Structure formats: structure tokens, C-alpha cells
Amino acid sequence: MSEECLEERTVEVSDIPEEIEDELLALYFENKRRSGGGPLVSFHRKGSCAVLVFEATTVAARVLAKETHVLQGSSLTVRRQAPKDPGKLLLRGINPNTSLELVELYVENVTGMGSEDYILYPSRGKGLVLVQFHRPISKEELQRMYAKISARQLDRATIHPEQIEQTSSILVENLKPSISEDVLTLYFENRRRGGGEVKEVCMLADGIAKITFLDFEVVESILKKPHKLDECNLKIQPYFDFLGMEASPRSLSPLNGIEEVNDNNLEHLLTGSLSQEEISPPIALDTAASEIHPASLEKGAVGGGRDKQISGAIEASEKNNLHSAPSTVSSASISLPDPQKLSLYKSSQLFQNLQKSHPNFDIRITGRTIEISGPSQLGVEQLKSQILESFSEIAQAHLTFNEGKARFLDREEVKDRLLQSLKQQGLPSNYTVTDCVVTVTSSSLNSVNEACRCIKSLISEFDIEVTPEFECMLYCKQWSEFLDTLGFCSVSNRRDKIEVMTLAGMEDEKKVKIIEFLSTPIQVETVITMEPGMLKYIQIHCHQLLADMDSVSIFPLEAEDVTGFKVCLFSFQSNYYCLCMYNGKTISGSHT
């Protein structure tokens, strides 16, 4: 059967939980009703991924057409197996001590191309070099390369060529520290930038991230375009697990690249960029004192990916240093330009636990910098790694509201109440408001999504109808004074109703207070002064006009200091009359 037909019958399944057994997984994909599948020709699983080959292409197509695959409550990711990449060739078996210059000469000899036609990506200490060509290589060209490579050794080592599958991941470098996983997701899902649906974003180190897409074809589309984010030109290349996070074109140097453990590569070890086997000589850690402080596992603490391992090593380092006074104090600092993430971390349980559980180390926040000092450089670096890992898990999301709702969320009392409510629900978060955008920061991607959902649900809006009898109350000064005392409430006046915004659970309280204010008459008094003769004239000639004003009390004033009328009225009345004197003329009018 042709290779093309085999590809059409093959699907790849990922995100498989460990507890799902192979037999159950195979039975699910052979069940037409559950998965759309059918009889399998082969089944191969490695970790959380599996490759399935069906008997018929129509069966594979049905499985791929099904929108969701859920097994034992877990969502599985199903897609076609990535085809072989025609633009890449992996060379295995290279001597780790061979210089990159010699590898370049070898590649040019067996491919017949110049250095401008390809890029080399060597791995550290694994004897692997990935050759990425600037154009696709035909099958005939590939066969000729294979023949030349098998006939010629490199630095007394036999080289094994291998055509690899297309990758669905990219490595992004030159990122600002303030760039979050959510921002990267939004950026690389933008179709104008060649993007597509992002499956996962993983921060590997400061300024470096691995981004995995659901569709492997997106990678080639991304690589064809220049990318700039937050005024920084991004460096993007395809990501392969066998190359690791440091995979990038190297200067002419040995492929292993590391001769000894120093402060720089120690930090890489602690942040997970290199495996311990790749560093020589190895670091021996005393793990006898690997007991975990209970507070470090408290629910709600930020981070915790490697807490047990790191905390045990740090405590062992502390105990070893208690018996000998250090001659110098080791220190390190972490610059954190994002004030929201820093504020969240400062108030988090992890920061407090680190201070309590490691009394021999001084951890403090000065401005936008975390400073760490203590008796052991290893302990300081491990603490630094744990803090950096915590920050890599902090996520941000952006909510867009109308102007009125954004202003309401920006009020100090509202913000304090919302953040307190989120904390009580186990979602420690904070947020800022810029124009109509609310930026929410939380301890993880799941937490920030849940926090956004909660913020939306905690805002309540309702209307109160206003009859003409009470409409004038909305325009008196007492109304504004009343709203200032209402608290946790935003009110907008409309012609025949009031639009009220408050927090969930406060609706009845606010509605009762507003209706009580509108229905309670407020007595307002004013004095209209005039000459004694004019007052006498009105009393004589306008007697009937004054008598008709039954909703208004008018009292003549005749005293040494003032002459005129004192007018008393109730402000909830829909209409009332007043007298205005101008140039000796009496004018009757209405005011609403």
C-alpha cells in the first residue's frame, strides 16, 4: 500500500492521561458510536501520545471530523500525524567534540549547497545536528544525500541521516519579561500574522517561550513572516524536543559547549534548560533532608511545579551550612518590571512561606526587584529558580467593558470588595483598569480564566422605573448628595427610569434605598425679595393667583431686613409655580 494512503489512515492522539490504559484507548477508537472509529491495524503509544493506523481512510476521516473526544472525563487531542518535513534533515551520531565549522564543511560536501542555503541547529551534548534548508528537498535529492552521507564519515564517526516529521511548536526568543502567556496566545492566534489556534504556551526562561499549535501547518506560516511584539523584534525558529530550549544557530565552537559547572550554567540547570546528565562534572545534592515544610504545600500558593524537590535541596544546603560559618554571603536579584505580577506575588502565600521556611536566607522586595541573600550560593540560586518558576505560572487576561462599567470596576471600594471575594474563593488576583480594558492577573491560566468569570458574575445591573410624580427628584441637589452616600453603586438617569449597577447580592438593598428617597418629600424653601410697594401690589392684584397655588405655601415677609415672599414647596411634586419679578412685571411659570 502506498505511503500516501498510509498517511491518510493514520491519526495522532495526544493529551492522554496516565490512568487511561492502552486497551481502553484502543477500544474507544474502534467504537464507531463513541469515536467514529473502526478496526485498527496498529496502535503505538508513548507517554501521553499515541499513533493509530486504521484499516480504512474513511474511518480515519470520521475520527478526525468529530469535534471532541472525551474519555473518562478527559479531553483528547486528535489530529493527522505530522508528515515528513521536506525542508529538514537530522544528522545523528556526530562526535560531541566536533566543531561546528567541520560540520558545516561536511554538510556542504554531502548536499552540494552553500552556507547561505541552510541553517544548522546543533543540540547540546547529544551528537545531533538539525539541517534546515531554505527550500523543500525533493525525494531524488534526499536519496543522493543519503548515499553520500552513508559513504563518508565525519571526524571518524558514522553519520545517520533521518528525515523528521513537521513540528507543531516554535521557539520564541527576545521576549520582554512583562509578556505573559495570554498575550503570546492572542498574538500567535492572529491570522494576519500567519497564526492559528494555540494549544499550549510554555515559558522556558526569561525572554524565551515554547508555543505549540493544534495544527502543525501553522508553524511554516509563522516562520515566513517577521514578528514584532511590544517594540521588540522576535526571534522565531521551529522547536524540537531533541534540540532543547537553547537550540539556535551557534558560532564556531564544540557542540557540547559546556566544560564545567559555573554560575551561568547552574542557573540553566535550576530553571530546567539543561538536564543534569548534560553537565560535567555532576552536582551532588544531599537529599537526606528533603522534608517539605507544610506551608509550602498550602492550597492557593503560587507556583509549586518543583517545590518538593527544590525545598528539600535548599533545606539540605541550609543544614550543611549551619555547622560552618561562611566567609562570604551569597546573593542574587530578580528584576520584575510588571507591577501587577509583583504585587500579586508579594501578597501570595508562597512569598510568605519562603520567608518562614528558610530563616537563614533573606528574601525581600525592594521597589521592583526581589533580592535574595544567604549562606549558600546553591541555595540562593535554587530559591531564585523557584521564584522565577512561580512568575512563569502567573497569567493575565483582558476584559473589555463599556465606559460606565469600567469606571465602576475602577472604584477603590468596588475593587477591594471584588478582590476580597476572589481571595475567599481561592482565586487570589488583582486587576487594573485602562480606559475600557480590565487587565486581570492571577496565579495561573486556569485561575485567571476563573477570576474573569467571577468578576463578570459579581456585577449586577437592574432598572427602576420613575413615574412623572417623582421625576423632578432626579434633578435636585439632594439627589446627587444621596448618590454619594449610597456606596457600591453607579446610577445613570434616563427619562423614565434609573439604570443601576451594583455588586451581586446588594440589589435589594440599593433598590429599597433609592425608592425610599424618591418617595420621601423634601421641603425646600426660598425667599423672593422685592420692594415694599411691589409686595403690596401683588397682594392686592394677584390674590387669586396666590390662592390657586395649593401645592406651594407662600408667605409675605415684611420686616426691617427683608421684604418679599417666602416660598415653601415639596420637591417631589411634578409641577410647581413660582413668581418672578422683572422690571415691575409679574410673571407666572412652571418648573419641573
Side-chain angles (χ1 to χ4, degrees), residues 165-176:
E165 295 175 350
Q166 290 185 18
T167 179
S168 59
S169 301
I170 59 173
L171 187 71
V172 183
E173 299 178 84
N174 200 31
L175 293 168
K176 284 188 176 181

Side-chain angles (χ1 to χ4, degrees), residues 393-414:
E393 295 179 2
I394 293 177
Q396 289 182 325
H398 304 280
L399 299 174
T400 302
F401 295 105
N402 59 46
E403 187 178 354
K405 192 172 292 187
R407 283 202 307 266
F408 177 71
L409 289 170
D410 200 27
R411 288 167 56 171
E412 200 65 34
E413 58 176 8
V414 173

Side-chain angles (χ1 to χ4, degrees), residues 110-111 135 138-150:
V110 297
T111 63
R135 62 172 178 83
S138 65
K139 291 184 178 180
E140 292 75 15
E141 289 179 296
L142 198 60
Q143 290 175 354
R144 288 196 295 268
M145 291 180 189
Y146 277 18
K148 289 186 177 181
I149 292 172
S150 61

Side-chain angles (χ1 to χ4, degrees), residues 76-89:
L76 308 177
T77 301
V78 179
R79 66 180 184 183
R80 287 199 181 276
Q81 187 181 26
K84 298 296 182 181
D85 193 327
K88 296 178 180 63
L89 184 65

Side-chain angles (χ1 to χ4, degrees), residues 118-150:
Y118 63 87
I119 302 175
L120 296 185
Y121 295 104
S123 66
R124 287 181 177 268
K126 296 183 180 179
L128 304 174
V129 171
L130 177 66
V131 185
Q132 177 177 316
F133 301 101
H134 293 323
R135 62 172 178 83
I137 304 301
S138 65
K139 291 184 178 180
E140 292 75 15
E141 289 179 296
L142 198 60
Q143 290 175 354
R144 288 196 295 268
M145 291 180 189
Y146 277 18
K148 289 186 177 181
I149 292 172
S150 61

